[in-house]
Amino acid sequence: MEAAIHTITAQFKSFAGDDGSSSTLSKKEFKSLVISQLPNLVKNASEPGAIERLMGSEDTDNDGELTFAEFWTLIGKLASEEAGFTQ
């Protein structure tokens, strides 16, 4: 599990900061991360509005960027769905 956590944090850091803050993901950074790193879990990422809806559902402070905590919530939801833990 430690390797998985390291990978998730490293990927977040590698995508964050291209458009401003290195501790948050902008919409462009988030889209790039989702398309390249989560293509099988977020299959509709290229559909118009899909990234905006997904990001909006996790952007709890509505600042247009995802903090790591907001991103981590999404990862938890995706992992739960993948494992069949959600109803």
Side-chain angles (χ1 to χ4, degrees):
M1 281 194 256
E2 290 176 354
I5 291 170
H6 174 74
T7 298
I8 292 168
T9 57
Q11 288 301 315
F12 180 91
K13 289 178 180 180
S14 74
F15 283 87
D18 288 344
D19 287 0
S21 174
S22 62
S23 61
T24 60
L25 293 170
S26 67
K27 183 176 106 176
K28 180 181 171 186
E29 294 165 339
F30 179 64
K31 182 176 184 174
S32 181
L33 183 150
V34 168
I35 288 172
S36 69
Q37 300 299 312
L38 300 168
N40 297 309
L41 296 178
V42 183
K43 293 181 173 86
N44 67 343
S46 349
E47 293 176 12
I51 291 296
E52 290 82 0
R53 287 188 301 276
L54 183 58
M55 188 169 175
S57 71
E58 301 307 325
D59 184 13
T60 57
D61 59 4
N62 296 312
D63 65 353
E65 297 192 337
L66 291 183
T67 63
F68 184 76
E70 291 168 330
F71 177 71
W72 186 257
T73 300
L74 172 64
I75 295 302
K77 288 177 183 176
L78 292 172
S80 291
E81 288 173 12
E82 178 68 14
F85 294 133
T86 59
Q87 298 178 13

